[in-house]
Every structure is written in structure tokens, then in C-alpha cells.
Amino acid sequence: MSVLFRALVVRWILRHRLRSALAVIAVALGVAAFLATAAVGNSVERTATAAVTAISGGADLGVEADVAGVPAAWAKDIREVPGVAGAAPIVLGWINVRGATKGRALLVGVDPLAESAMRRTAVAREAAAPSAAGVVSLSMGTGALLSRRLADEIGAKDGGSFAVPGPSGQVTLGVAGVVDVKGSMAAAADRVIVASIPLAQRLLGRGAAADRIDVDLVPGADRDAAALAIVARIGDRAPPRLYVGAPRAVDPTVGDVLGVVTVALRIGAVVALMIGMFLIHHTVSVGVAERRRDVGVLRALGATQSQVRRVFAGEAVLLGVVGSTLGVGLALVLAAGALRSFAGSISTAYFASEPAPAEISWPLALSGIAIGAVVALAAAWIPAARAASEAPNDAIRRGPDDSVGRPVLSTLRVTLTTTFAAASIVLVVVPDALGRWTGYLAAMLALLAYLVAAPAILALGARLLAPLLARWFGVPGRLAADQLARHPVRAALPAAALALGLALVVETAGTMTTLSESTAEWMDEQVAGDLFVSSSRAVMGAGGHTPLDASLAADLLATPGVAHVTGVRFRHLAWRDTKLMILALDIGQYRGMAKLKVTGGPRDELLAALETGLACFVSENLIHLHGVGIGDVLE
């Protein structure tokens, strides 16, 4: 077997280094894309888990609701529930901080006395506790704790002061202490301001609400029984979708967003692997054709079909393993680059932490190598089996390939092409037939239709282009057209790989262009106002925006040249396992400057209905995705 492998594979690879290198690179890129997407997804998940753990401090239970928080006063009632050792409300939100590297920090509002009862510090159990004076300053709302990294960035020291924006102007706070966050929590809580609950509520415009109440249980208490007792204690006061249970590592709505993004990334990785598979198939097919005489001689000397088949399969596995091994190293580079752009944005929008570094564990790396080897083996199996089954005398004569002269426009090929194409068109016309997977399945069926029809398309194209190729390139052009016409099946997979890669590029560019242009068009048509006044440029972002005092609108209205001033308030709320943006307007002022396009009746009448507080507008997306109609009631 080793003699056959050296004769048929090793020597051929050494003679065709460039062709073999291209196949190896194709597999490396596919495996790297697959591993990089997995590493990025794992990084975001670890970031989310670390962020929640850092803020919850390892609480046994969390009390929260998928609306605008829960009343902070509930903590007092929860402490009276049997089995509860402590209950601490917590308020979370981004806030601007001058001098911070990213211009903002996570503001954490706590009740210092409740935190002390829960045997933890204000940020995490792994943090160093503040001084007694710091706790007093924190409780009075005149000071705040800073994480060490944030304090170093803004030049604040223990006993000094720093400024943050508030709804009515700048607020100066004393540094009640600098918290050294250690261990696994350091990455998740590196830019944090810890303040009292009332101060955090005022700075973030939260009223009397807390985002969550963390609960510690007495040793040995049953967590499920305690959760039921807490729900019973809250009783009829419970808001919709109340949650009492183990602290959730990821907001369910965030998990839904990450799931969609992960699917998109994995599709790109699968496309890259398919391109690698096509190129491996082409490389082995061409290699088999060029070694037909060698295979025939070896078969005549006693080599069995099984041995020949294993030799060519081994060649593919060798190329796949080498490419996959290179892909592991390349995946680390790709993942690091993706984290700087993609994962950083996701964690900034949803998590209170920096993205965890991309890691490729040994099991993940070995799985990538195995996938590359299996893909290469699958791609080479048909040409390997064809080479093994060929009669020795036919191979030695170097006669034409078996595929030459076969009809490329058979009844079966036409039937399959028509079926796949028709199914793809139906899914495009009915995009909701299979939910979010409809488009992916439509694309896969279109690819299969092209793969089945590609030999006929290439053979016809070769005949049509033969005169042009001969005129432009002479004899090489005529030979190229002749080879394409004689071996359209062999050329179909490389053509499909090129088509698939080009389609992915065009699809990505088209999607981004459509999104940017439609967003700009929507802004021009729907958003009223010539100027915007806010505490930060990132008005609609997930962090860094402090609400303004509503009285500022009256002052602005008195400014020369100002015709109308509309106060705007917005908040993201969880709803039906997704996330909505609730947008509130001063309708009385807005009616004088409205450009909003609405359906369902005259705009002025609909705006008057909005002004009563008994109606709302919804977007077309909400209607389309969740079956909401005009006249329905939303909870």
C-alpha cells in the first residue's frame, strides 16, 4: 500500500505543487472560517455570562420582568420571605464619562446596606471591599465607587472627584473608593461606576424602578420553593412576564439576536467549506485523469480496486488534514479581527463588558481538522471510485474518459433542474413558508439546480465561445474550449465554487447597500426636526446617553429661529421573545412638524388619537413579523 501511495500520490503532489497548494489553501480557508465563527460565538457567550456573573455577584435568584424593570421597594418584601437571607435591587445603564477610553462606563446602582447583608461587594465577590467612609458617601448619594481601570483612565483617585452628565446638567461626585476587580471578573467589570440606587435612577431616568433584584438564600434552602414563595409574596403587583429564578446568563432577546447572527456566520463558513470541497474534487478528478495510465499499469501488476480507491482517498485526506491544520492557525487571526469589529459591537450593545478574547480549544481545533478531512474525503470519493473501477487495459491505452461523449442534457438532469429551480422560486415568492430558514433553503435549492444544470450550460457555452476564444487567444483558446466541451462535468464543480463565492459577495454587498440606503431614506421621510439636542451623539445607541430634563424643551422653544420643539423619549423593552423600541413624543408639538407617513386614516386624526394616550403607532415590520393589525390591543 505504501508503494502505491508513493507512486501515485507523493510523486504527483511533488510534481504539481501549485495545484496541490491551491487545494490545501481552499480547505484551510473553509476550516478557518468555520472555526473563527465558532470562536467568535463562544467569545460573545462567555462575555455575556461573565457580565451577568460580575454584576449579580453570584446571587442565588434574580427577580426581573420583561418590562421597564421592577420596583426597588420589592426588595424589602422579598427579605421577609422564608429562606431568603438577603435581597438587593440593582440598576444598570451606560453613562458618559469624560476621559474614559470609550467615552462611557457602566453605571451600577446598588443599596449598600442590602449588598452588605448579601455578603458581597457592590460589583462582585472577587472585588476588594470599599472603606467605611466610602460606604457612607455611597449611601448618601454624594459619591461613587470606580473600578480601577476606569479610575486610571480618567485620573480619579480615592478622595477626589469626577463629573458625569445628569438630566439637568453636570453632576460632580466624590470618589468613595476604587474597586480592584480581580480574577475572572476583571474583563467583565473593567469600566464601572457604582452609585446608590436613587442616584443611579436619577442619572438614568429610571424613576423608582430597578432592573433586577438579586436574592441570596439561607444555606440549605430550596431554590424552587423560595422562588414560588417570592412570586406569592408579590402577588397581584407582578408585572407582565415576571421572572423569578436563577440569574440568566443572557437576556432571551439577546440570545435570539445572537442566534440569527451565528446562523449567518455559519452559513459563510459552510460556503467556504463547500468551495474547498469543490476544489478538492476538481484537483483529484484532474489528477486521476492524468494518472490513468499509471493506475492501469499498477492494476495490471496486481493492485486491487480497493487499494487504488484507498490511495486516492488517502491523497484527499492528506490534503484535507494539511489544509485543516493550517486553517486552525488562520482561524485565530480571523477570529481576532472579527472580535474587533463584530463581537465588540454586539457586546457594547447588549453586555456590560469587553468581549472575551477569542479562543480555539483543543477539542474545537481537532473537530475543525476532522471536518476538513471528512470534507476532502467526500469530495474525492467519486473520482477515486471511478479510477478504481476502470479496466486496466482501457486505462493503459489512455483512451478517452468514460464521461466523454455522455449526454449532458438527459431527462433526469432536466427533471432535477426544473424541480430544484421551481422549489427555490416558490420559497422566494412565499418568504414566510419556513420562517427564517426559508431564504437559506431557497438559496440551497438554487445552488443544487445550478450544479445539476452546470454541465449542460458549460458545454453549450464552450461551443458558443469557441470561435471567440480562438480569435482572441489562438490555439490555447481553441484547446480550452475543446476541453470544456469534452469535460463539462469535471468543470461544473469549479464553476459552481466560483458562482457560489461570487453570489455570497454580491449578496453581502447588496444587503448592506439596501440597508444603508433604505435607512437613510426612512430618516429623510419619517424623522422630524432640523436639529437634535441630546447628551450624547449616540442618541439611539445602547449606551452612553443620559436622558434630559423635560423642562429643557420650553427653554429651547424660546430660542430665536425655533418654530417647534418636540420632547422624545425611547426605551427598549422585551416583548414576545423579541425586543421593541418604545418611542414617546410630545404629540402636541410634534403635530406642527410631523413628516411621518402612516396608513389607517388621515395623519392628523391618527395623531390626535395618539395624543389621548389610548392608541399607538406600530411599524410595518411589527405587523409583518408578529401578525399585529390595526385595531389590535398590545400588552
Side-chain angles (χ1 to χ4, degrees):
M1 184 67 183
S2 60
V3 175
L4 289 176
F5 192 81
R6 287 196 302 269
L8 287 179
V9 175
V10 176
R11 293 178 183 176
W12 188 86
I13 290 178
L14 293 176
R15 286 200 306 266
H16 301 84
R17 295 183 181 89
L18 179 60
R19 187 185 302 171
S20 302
L22 290 176
V24 168
I25 292 173
V27 175
L29 289 175
V31 171
F34 177 82
L35 294 179
T37 55
V40 169
N42 292 339
S43 170
V44 175
E45 291 177 4
R46 294 200 316 273
T47 301
T49 303
V52 173
T53 305
I55 300 306
S56 69
D60 297 314
L61 293 173
V63 179
E64 55 187 296
D66 292 339
V67 292
V70 295
W74 280 4
K76 180 180 178 181
D77 296 334
I78 293 174
R79 295 187 196 109
E80 299 175 357
V81 173
V84 173
I90 190 169
V91 174
L92 303 171
W94 296 102
I95 191 170
N96 292 322
V97 180
R98 182 174 298 176
T101 299
K102 295 195 173 183
R104 67 196 186 107
L106 179 70
L107 178 62
V108 181
V110 299
D111 181 345
L113 296 179
E115 294 289 336
S116 177
M118 292 183 67
R119 309 179 309 280
R120 68 176 186 181
T121 64
V123 179
R125 297 184 189 274
E126 298 183 34
S131 64
V135 172
V136 172
S137 174
L138 183 67
S139 302
M140 295 178 62
T142 59
L145 301 175
L146 301 180
S147 61
R148 176 69 63 184
R149 182 168 180 178
L150 179 63
D152 292 341
E153 288 181 359
I154 66 176
K157 297 181 179 179
D158 195 352
S161 63
F162 67 102
V164 296
S168 301
Q170 184 170 279
V171 177
T172 301
L173 300 174
V175 180
V178 177
V179 179
D180 288 304
V181 184
K182 304 173 184 178
S184 61
M185 305 306 169
D190 60 352
R191 292 183 178 87
V192 176
I193 300 173
V194 181
S196 66
I197 287 276
L199 177 60
Q201 289 170 331
R202 179 164 62 90
L203 294 177
L204 297 173
R206 299 292 175 81
D211 289 280
R212 188 179 69 243
I213 297 177
D214 292 336
V215 180
D216 263 2
L217 303 179
V218 298
D222 183 84
R223 186 162 65 178
D224 294 336
L228 292 175
I230 291 173
V231 173
R233 185 58 180 259
I234 295 172
D236 296 337
R237 297 174 293 167
R241 300 172 65 88
L242 177 71
Y243 173 83
V244 180
R248 294 186 283 193
V250 183
D251 184 333
T253 60
V254 177
D256 185 61
V257 172
L258 294 180
V260 173
V261 174
T262 300
V263 168
L265 290 174
R266 292 295 171 86
I267 286 176
V270 170
V271 169
L273 282 173
M274 290 179 65
I275 292 175
M277 181 177 70
F278 292 165
L279 293 180
I280 286 283
H281 177 87
H282 181 71
T283 299
V284 175
S285 297
V286 173
V288 167
E290 293 180 350
R291 287 172 283 183
R292 292 182 67 225
R293 182 179 178 83
D294 297 336
V295 171
V297 171
L298 292 173
R299 286 291 313 283
L301 294 176
T304 65
Q305 292 186 9
S306 176
Q307 288 176 327
V308 173
R309 186 165 52 247
R310 291 201 303 270
V311 164
F312 285 112
E315 176 186 350
V317 171
L318 175 63
L319 296 176
V321 169
V322 173
S324 301
T325 304
L326 295 176
V328 172
L330 182 59
L332 287 172
V333 179
L334 292 178
L339 277 176
R340 281 195 295 269
S341 55
F342 161 71
S345 301
I346 292 294
S347 63
T348 295
Y350 293 102
F351 310 136
S353 61
E354 297 295 319
E359 297 177 357
I360 296 180
S361 61
W362 279 109
L364 181 60
L366 292 177
S367 66
I369 293 175
I371 288 174
V374 170
V375 167
L377 179 61
W381 188 255
I382 293 178
R386 184 180 299 142
S389 62
E390 190 170 17
N393 55 340
D394 290 338
I396 293 175
R397 286 200 301 267
R398 281 185 174 269
D401 291 346
D402 292 340
S403 58
V404 176
R406 288 182 179 179
V408 294
L409 199 62
S410 63
T411 303
L412 177 61
R413 195 179 297 277
V414 171
T415 302
L416 290 177
T417 301
T418 304
T419 302
F420 290 143
S424 178
I425 292 173
V426 168
L427 293 179
V428 170
V429 174
V430 189
D432 297 326
L434 300 174
R436 71 177 58 171
W437 300 102
T438 305
Y440 302 135
L441 183 58
M444 182 60 66
L445 291 172
L447 175 63
L448 291 176
Y450 174 76
L451 283 175
V452 176
I457 296 173
L458 293 175
L460 178 61
R463 293 187 179 92
L464 296 177
L465 293 177
L468 296 177
L469 292 176
R471 183 183 307 170
W472 293 341
F473 302 104
V475 175
R478 183 177 294 276
L479 291 176
D482 180 66
Q483 282 294 311
L484 185 59
R486 288 166 55 84
H487 304 283
V489 177
R490 185 191 301 169
L493 285 179
L498 179 60
L500 191 60
L502 182 60
L504 187 63
V505 172
V506 173
E507 182 271 338
T508 303
T511 300
M512 298 307 297
T513 300
T514 300
L515 285 175
S516 60
E517 291 180 352
S518 60
T519 301
E521 181 180 355
W522 180 84
M523 293 285 288
D524 291 337
E525 292 181 354
Q526 309 286 29
V527 178
D530 300 308
L531 293 175
F532 297 91
V533 178
S534 72
S535 64
S536 171
R537 292 184 179 181
V539 179
M540 304 303 291
H545 173 68
T546 300
L548 301 176
D549 194 307
S551 63
L552 181 60
D555 298 334
L556 295 176
L557 189 58
T559 304
V562 174
H564 300 280
V565 176
T566 298
V568 181
R569 186 71 188 274
F570 55 87
R571 175 165 297 194
H572 290 88
L573 299 180
W575 180 79
R576 293 190 186 178
D577 297 325
T578 186
K579 189 159 283 194
L580 298 182
M581 186 182 74
I582 309 298
L583 186 67
L585 301 169
D586 180 353
I587 301 297
Q589 284 288 324
Y590 180 73
R591 291 175 69 177
M593 57 192 297
K595 296 187 292 184
L596 190 69
K597 292 184 177 180
V598 295
T599 59
R603 185 176 64 189
D604 289 342
E605 294 181 9
L606 296 177
L607 288 174
L610 244 63
E611 198 167 4
T612 66
L614 301 177
C616 66
F617 289 166
V618 298
S619 65
E620 290 183 347
N621 267 353
L622 189 65
I623 292 175
H624 177 72
L625 295 175
H626 297 279
V628 176
I630 295 176
D632 290 350
V633 176
L634 301 185
E635 294 184 355

